[in-house]
Amino acid sequence: MVEGIRIFDDYHFRVTQEDAAEAKKTSSLQKAPTAGEDPWWAEDYTDPFKIRDRELFA
């Protein structure tokens, strides 16, 4: 099962890179939130379904 997830993540990364190349964009990491700004990962800690998934697969 873990190997399947690793393979899925690898192919997802490859597809993301190909899509960025076709759109002539570079893929980059998101910047850290500034003070008073909600981080992009905030819903992972407030949405009950995402909390359950995060705790289940951590």
Side-chain angles (χ1 to χ4, degrees):
M1 176 123 175
V2 174
E3 181 67 10
I5 292 172
R6 186 195 66 79
I7 291 171
F8 176 84
D9 286 343
D10 183 56
Y11 283 114
H12 181 263
F13 177 77
R14 290 180 186 196
V15 168
T16 302
Q17 293 290 27
E18 288 175 5
D19 290 346
E22 288 176 7
K24 295 187 175 144
K25 296 181 180 177
T26 58
S27 60
S28 60
L29 298 174
Q30 292 181 338
K31 295 196 184 277
T34 58
E37 191 177 53
D38 285 339
W40 60 267
W41 43 262
E43 66 184 27
D44 293 335
Y45 292 85
T46 55
D47 182 5
F49 294 110
K50 291 189 176 190
I51 291 171
R52 183 195 53 172
D53 287 348
R54 183 176 47 83
E55 291 174 350
L56 181 65
F57 295 109

